[in-house]
Amino acid sequence: MATVLMCRRFPRLSRVTAFSTTAKRKAERGSSKSRKEKRDKPGAANTGTESGATIQLLKPQDYRVLYNPAAYAKGRAGSQQHVDRDSSQALGDMFTGPGTTQPLQTVPPASSQALPPVRNALPKPKSNMLLEQTILATLYKEEAEKEKWEVHDSKEDPRTFQKGRPEYRSLSCDSAEPAQTLPAEEGDSILQSVAGCEGSPGILTDYFRKLSRLPAERRAALLPDPRFGALCHRAVAAIRLFSTPDLIHILKACVPLAVPASHPLLDACEAEFCRRAWDMGLEQLLLVADCWRCLERSVPSYLGILFSYANLHWKDLTLPQFVQLLYIIGEGRRSPADLAQKVESTILKHLDAFTLEELGAICLGLFKSLSGVSAHVMRRIADRVSLQMEDMSTYALVNVLKMLRYTRMDHVPLMRELGKVIPARIPTTNIQGIMHIALTYSSLHFFDEDVLAAVATSLPSKVSYCRSKDAAKFLWSFGCLDYEPPNEEEFYSSLIKQLHTKLHEFRRFPEHLLTALLGLAFVKRFPEELIDFALREEFVQKTRGSKYELNKDLFTLGKSVEIECPTYRGSRLPPQLCQEFTEMVSSFAEQEIYVRPEIVEATSLLESMLGGPEYVKNHMILPHTRSSDLEVRLATDGHPIPFNFKDPVAAKKLKDMGVDLTDDLISQLIKGTAHSQSPVEVGNEAGIPGQEQGAAAGTPCLGGALTAGAKSQAEPEAGRWQPREVRLALQVSNRNHFCYGSKRLLGLHCLKRRQLRLLGYVVVEIPFWEWFPLLKRTRSEKLSYLHYKVFCPALLTRA
């Protein structure tokens, strides 16, 4: 016997030591609890430093770890496969080392073009090519089988709700092993007698029922047997002679026999059941629909008849029939619009009578079929679940969370109870369930550190079961909530490695890669190889052909890399594409963002306070972050600098103005003026010396509007950064920028502020919990608040 000795080679890991060690970083950051408190303070600076030994990540600015892994495959039909030297290291990594229990990580066999590393790619000797491709093909086949098992045979049974009532036995197909199996010899006897029998419907039905009770290994050998084919042919020929109960028995027998969904016998059965459907009872129709689900056969015509029948006989539906119907609706991924109102009323009618597992099945059916449900109905469901959550299975609970996320329901009692119940269950929950838990928290912007920490702790050991979209949504969830867990390096390294393993899937699902990379960018992590892949022209074209709107995500990623990774040398978005995306985002902002009342009010007051529209600009400094900024520029002595010359009036240089401080003018400033004022009158209103305006408002200041009689600054060249100039980026935020019920910024808005600071801006927060209440107060109070925000002594000193 030949022996193959396989040697595992570890990939090259680039590590650098930053200015602080990992231990020092943790000491500076303190506990995660204290970090949460620090982030809850609006405008608090992020004083944490980056890890000193992060595996394979490009860190921005002062911290960079080169990522130079092996080539990862991506397929292109018709082209020749290339494998470089580094792919031998990737191949070695697919085999677990001594004492480890990690499942194999694989690379697809069908790859015909390898993704080259950024540098140091060398050709691989051809002598090993065939062996390597054979091994890759074997491993990929094993992984495909493993993924199928993970998806379809997860630990939780989606049909658990059917065990709660005996009525479901007549509505569902039992796919479990038969209680009493027949000897294998009896199967041979049946097949031998097929040729000589007359083929009466009763005898054929009996044959199918008996064959379905054979041992599993014998049933598996039936399909290729010509005698079984002959039996199926006889059944097709006599299909209209079977009674409806006999035809249902044949269909049920096909489930344990594992008849393929495309088999001619099933074609004949579907056509016959569609013909007979209106003569069948609802119980029979639901049973047949369940058989189709077990056989994994798509039957849209049959389901359409079933839904129409149910609509006509809705008053006759029993509780189990209603739940089974919603289950079938979900599995068919089709939502009958004419049933929506009836479904809601029936849910409310039986709400207290449903078991908790039935509630989970109802939510899953609604979620899978994308059926909308009113906020009132969803809140009633959530009310009941929050009171009995401990008695609910994890699978049913996750299904409720899916619908909660779909309806954007902010049910605080349920989320708080979930925070108590779910952390202990996460270690025994399958990977898709954990993903949906994390995604629910991020989608609802609900931050619970205990839940997220439990997810992060459990994930690395299960990461090999992640599909591409699972890994992407984990990264998005943590990035969206701007949370880095205690085991952050292990957590992120394992997910990034899984992204490389699943690289071939991103050719079909480009949205998942962008989702993952944005989640990483939110927490300042930029894997160079993956970014290079995502910004290549070929991948960009795939995103533009996707059914999802991915332009904004691509724009955010590309521009973030430009700002935060100055040493990055990989692919970039073409300038013309960036210009197209900028115009698209700007058009949206003009219609939806700039016109928001809280932003319009702040802009108007700042113009009045500073001396006119030349001193403030309502725009997006960073269009890729898709939110507005109020930009103000100050000299280092605190005086405002005009820069916004976008219209003919504002383009004129300000004239010398001499203003007498009269009681009339002060009264006008406090009470407000009409919108029909001329630009000169607006300038006069704001021409109060900074000291006196600050004193009148009762707030400290270093400067203010132009001093009476002073000359304005010379008109600066647009876009130029003037010497000794302070640029302020005022952030008029709203609740959607923060985690639910807290002052913790979401990941996108943390990214925006971080990038503004990198570009030299001073970020000034005007948070909603301060500004929104002021909108109902007097003009003088609002001016006083904005004056302090713009001319805060600490702000100018720091700048």
Side-chain angles (χ1 to χ4, degrees):
M1 176 183 293
T3 302
V4 178
L5 181 62
M6 306 201 71
C7 176
R8 183 183 185 189
R9 298 174 62 187
F10 290 89
R12 296 192 301 274
L13 302 181
S14 299
R15 296 172 181 259
V16 300
T17 303
F19 296 111
S20 61
T21 63
T22 304
K24 180 180 177 182
R25 180 188 182 197
K26 291 183 178 178
E28 287 179 353
R29 289 172 58 188
S31 68
S32 53
K33 297 272 186 184
S34 64
R35 186 181 181 204
K36 176 184 176 184
E37 293 172 2
K38 186 184 298 181
R39 289 190 177 183
D40 283 350
K41 297 178 182 179
N46 183 7
T47 58
T49 58
E50 292 304 324
S51 172
T54 303
I55 298 178
Q56 300 176 330
L57 289 179
L58 173 65
K59 302 297 283 186
Q61 297 294 341
D62 57 328
Y63 181 64
R64 182 171 183 257
V65 180
L66 295 178
Y67 188 69
N68 195 18
Y72 289 86
K74 62 174 185 174
R76 177 182 291 172
S79 61
Q80 185 178 358
Q81 184 173 16
H82 303 282
V83 183
D84 62 23
R85 173 176 296 181
D86 284 342
S87 62
S88 66
Q89 296 178 356
L91 181 64
D93 281 344
M94 294 172 200
F95 301 93
T96 54
T100 62
T101 57
Q102 286 278 11
L104 300 179
Q105 301 294 319
T106 64
V107 177
S111 71
S112 51
Q113 179 182 352
L115 172 63
V118 173
R119 46 187 85 82
N120 296 334
L122 297 176
K124 184 174 181 67
K126 294 184 178 179
S127 58
N128 292 332
M129 289 282 288
L130 183 59
L131 173 62
E132 183 169 295
Q133 291 177 11
T134 303
I135 296 173
L136 287 173
T138 304
L139 291 175
Y140 183 61
K141 182 178 180 181
E142 291 176 0
E143 184 186 43
E145 291 298 320
K146 179 178 66 181
E147 287 184 1
K148 183 177 180 181
W149 181 89
E150 176 71 8
V151 172
H152 296 290
D153 295 314
S154 56
K155 295 177 183 177
E156 296 85 358
D157 181 4
R159 300 159 69 84
T160 301
F161 74 94
Q162 295 174 347
K163 301 175 182 177
R165 300 179 192 270
E167 293 92 333
Y168 287 112
R169 293 174 188 167
S170 60
L171 303 175
S172 60
C173 175
D174 186 6
S175 57
E177 285 294 310
Q180 295 181 344
T181 59
L182 295 178
E185 296 77 15
E186 188 163 343
D188 291 328
S189 174
I190 292 173
L191 293 176
Q192 289 290 351
S193 60
V194 168
C197 75
E198 298 179 359
S200 66
I203 294 175
L204 293 176
T205 302
D206 189 54
Y207 284 170
F208 275 100
R209 295 179 68 177
K210 288 181 177 179
L211 290 175
S212 68
R213 293 171 54 194
L214 291 173
E217 61 276 7
R218 184 67 185 93
R219 294 199 306 268
L222 286 177
L223 288 176
D225 194 317
R227 296 171 297 178
F228 182 74
L231 176 62
C232 293
H233 181 73
R234 284 177 177 267
V236 170
I239 198 74
R240 293 204 172 189
L241 301 178
F242 290 102
S243 66
T244 299
D246 282 348
L247 196 59
I248 292 175
H249 282 307
I250 291 176
L251 188 65
K252 287 180 67 176
C254 289
V255 175
L257 290 172
V259 176
S262 58
H263 198 280
L265 175 60
L266 298 187
D267 293 340
C269 287
E270 180 186 355
E272 186 62 17
F273 278 122
C274 287
R275 191 181 68 83
R276 300 185 188 191
W278 290 102
D279 297 324
M280 296 165 60
L282 185 58
E283 187 175 273
Q284 290 178 320
L285 289 170
L286 288 170
L287 173 57
V288 170
D290 198 58
C291 290
W292 292 131
R293 190 214 64 81
C294 292
L295 291 164
E296 298 183 359
R297 181 181 170 94
S298 177
V299 287
S301 298
Y302 179 84
L303 292 181
I305 298 172
L306 168 63
F307 300 151
S308 298
Y309 187 101
N311 193 16
L312 289 176
H313 298 82
W314 194 265
K315 293 182 180 180
D316 301 327
L317 254 68
T318 63
L319 185 151
Q321 288 175 344
F322 170 72
V323 177
Q324 183 70 14
L325 177 65
L326 276 187
Y327 172 70
I328 295 299
I329 288 175
E331 295 304 311
R333 305 299 198 274
R334 179 181 170 186
S335 174
D338 53 344
L339 295 183
Q341 190 59 45
K342 293 181 177 180
V343 167
E344 286 199 9
S345 61
T346 306
I347 290 175
L348 293 176
K349 175 183 176 181
H350 296 297
L351 184 60
D352 294 331
F354 292 129
T355 66
L356 294 173
E357 301 307 308
E358 286 173 333
L359 277 179
I362 289 169
C363 287
L364 182 61
L366 294 172
F367 177 79
K368 284 186 173 182
S369 61
L370 301 179
S371 301
V373 65
S374 68
H376 173 66
V377 171
M378 194 62 229
R379 193 168 293 279
R380 289 286 305 277
I381 293 174
D383 286 340
R384 185 175 169 203
V385 170
S386 63
L387 296 175
Q388 299 177 282
M389 190 178 295
E390 290 188 357
D391 300 326
M392 199 171 196
S393 73
T394 303
Y395 184 81
L397 181 55
V398 167
N399 291 337
V400 174
L401 295 182
K402 290 177 183 178
M403 203 58 198
L404 201 71
R405 186 178 83 228
Y406 180 73
T407 56
R408 308 290 297 176
M409 175 64 63
D410 55 339
H411 198 283
V412 179
L414 185 146
M415 297 303 292
R416 287 178 177 166
E417 186 64 21
L418 186 67
K420 299 175 184 177
V421 171
I422 207 64
R425 297 190 185 185
I426 284 176
T428 57
T429 303
N430 73 341
I431 200 69
Q432 279 77 43
I434 299 175
M435 179 272 288
H436 282 295
I437 292 168
L439 191 59
T440 298
Y441 277 89
S442 66
S443 297
L444 300 179
H445 297 170
F446 204 96
F447 181 78
D448 189 314
E449 188 168 4
D450 292 337
V451 173
L452 295 176
V455 170
T457 301
S458 179
L459 184 67
S461 63
K462 299 181 177 184
V463 74
S464 60
Y465 293 103
C466 282
R467 301 164 297 181
S468 58
K469 76 173 186 178
D470 298 326
K473 289 177 180 178
F474 276 122
L475 290 170
W476 170 264
S477 298
F478 278 67
C480 176
L481 297 173
D482 190 39
Y483 177 67
E484 295 184 86
N487 64 332
E488 60 184 272
E489 298 308 334
E490 180 189 22
F491 175 79
Y492 283 110
S493 295
S494 64
L495 282 171
I496 291 171
K497 181 179 178 182
Q498 187 69 359
L499 291 181
H500 280 280
T501 304
K502 300 293 183 182
L503 201 61
H504 58 285
E505 294 184 13
F506 297 131
R507 295 179 62 82
R508 289 182 58 203
F509 309 107
E511 64 274 10
H512 298 332
L513 181 58
L514 290 182
T515 297
L517 292 178
L518 280 179
L520 287 166
F522 292 162
V523 292
K524 298 185 289 186
R525 294 174 184 268
F526 297 88
E528 184 176 293
E529 291 278 332
L530 293 173
I531 291 170
D532 176 62
F533 180 76
L535 297 183
R536 290 182 181 181
E537 182 180 358
E538 179 188 2
F539 188 83
V540 170
Q541 290 304 317
K542 286 189 175 295
T543 64
R544 306 204 76 183
S546 171
K547 63 180 180 180
Y548 299 101
E549 172 53 59
L550 302 178
N551 291 337
K552 292 184 289 186
D553 293 343
L554 197 64
F555 187 35
T556 301
L557 176 65
K559 284 300 189 180
S560 295
V561 171
E562 285 184 19
I563 295 172
E564 300 206 49
C565 304
T567 56
Y568 171 74
R569 296 293 178 265
S571 303
R572 295 183 184 273
L573 291 179
Q576 63 272 20
L577 205 58
C578 291
Q579 181 61 30
E580 178 187 332
F581 292 162
T582 299
E583 292 173 359
M584 175 188 68
V585 173
S586 298
S587 175
F588 171 79
E590 289 173 1
Q591 300 175 29
E592 301 291 338
I593 299 178
Y594 300 154
V595 296
R596 289 175 181 167
E598 67 273 15
I599 296 176
V600 171
E601 180 74 356
T603 305
S604 174
L605 290 168
L606 285 169
E607 289 175 355
S608 299
M609 184 180 79
L610 298 175
E614 303 88 356
Y615 293 92
V616 60
K617 186 174 184 180
N618 177 11
H619 68 133
M620 290 185 292
I621 299 173
L622 302 174
H624 62 277
T625 60
R626 308 191 288 279
S627 58
S628 72
D629 308 89
L630 299 182
E631 183 176 355
V632 173
R633 301 183 187 179
L634 303 176
T636 51
D637 61 359
H639 285 83
I641 300 174
F643 68 97
N644 182 26
F645 303 99
K646 61 183 179 181
D647 56 65
V649 175
K652 297 177 181 178
K653 295 183 180 180
L654 296 177
K655 298 178 180 179
D656 295 346
M657 291 184 292
V659 181
D660 293 326
L661 293 176
T662 63
D663 292 338
D664 228 11
L665 181 58
I666 295 176
S667 175
Q668 194 179 32
L669 176 63
I670 293 174
K671 294 181 180 178
T673 55
H675 293 291
S676 59
Q677 285 178 292
S678 69
V680 175
E681 289 174 327
V682 173
N684 287 346
E685 180 192 45
I688 304 172
Q691 252 186 348
E692 293 181 349
Q693 183 174 348
T699 57
C701 67
L702 284 181
L706 291 175
T707 307
K711 291 189 177 183
S712 69
Q713 307 284 336
E715 178 184 338
E717 188 176 343
R720 293 268 179 169
W721 204 285
Q722 301 299 309
R724 302 180 64 78
E725 174 184 272
V726 179
R727 292 194 180 188
L728 308 183
L730 280 71
Q731 305 299 304
V732 183
S733 61
N734 59 58
R735 287 174 175 80
N736 292 332
H737 296 177
F738 297 85
C739 292
Y740 183 88
S742 79
K743 300 176 182 179
R744 182 190 184 93
L745 275 169
L746 295 172
L748 175 63
H749 302 285
C750 288
L751 172 141
K752 176 187 177 180
R753 285 152 176 77
R754 187 172 71 238
Q755 293 179 4
L756 285 170
R757 293 186 182 101
L758 286 173
L759 294 178
Y761 284 87
V762 177
V763 177
V764 179
E765 298 290 348
I766 303 180
F768 72 89
W769 58 86
E770 294 176 357
W771 183 237
F772 280 34
L774 277 173
L775 293 177
K776 301 178 182 178
R777 307 298 290 271
T778 65
R779 180 179 175 85
S780 61
E781 287 177 290
K782 289 181 279 192
L783 282 169
S784 200
Y785 173 82
L786 291 174
H787 188 277
Y788 178 76
K789 285 290 184 178
V790 172
F791 300 111
C792 175
L795 182 150
L796 288 176
T797 302
R798 187 170 71 248

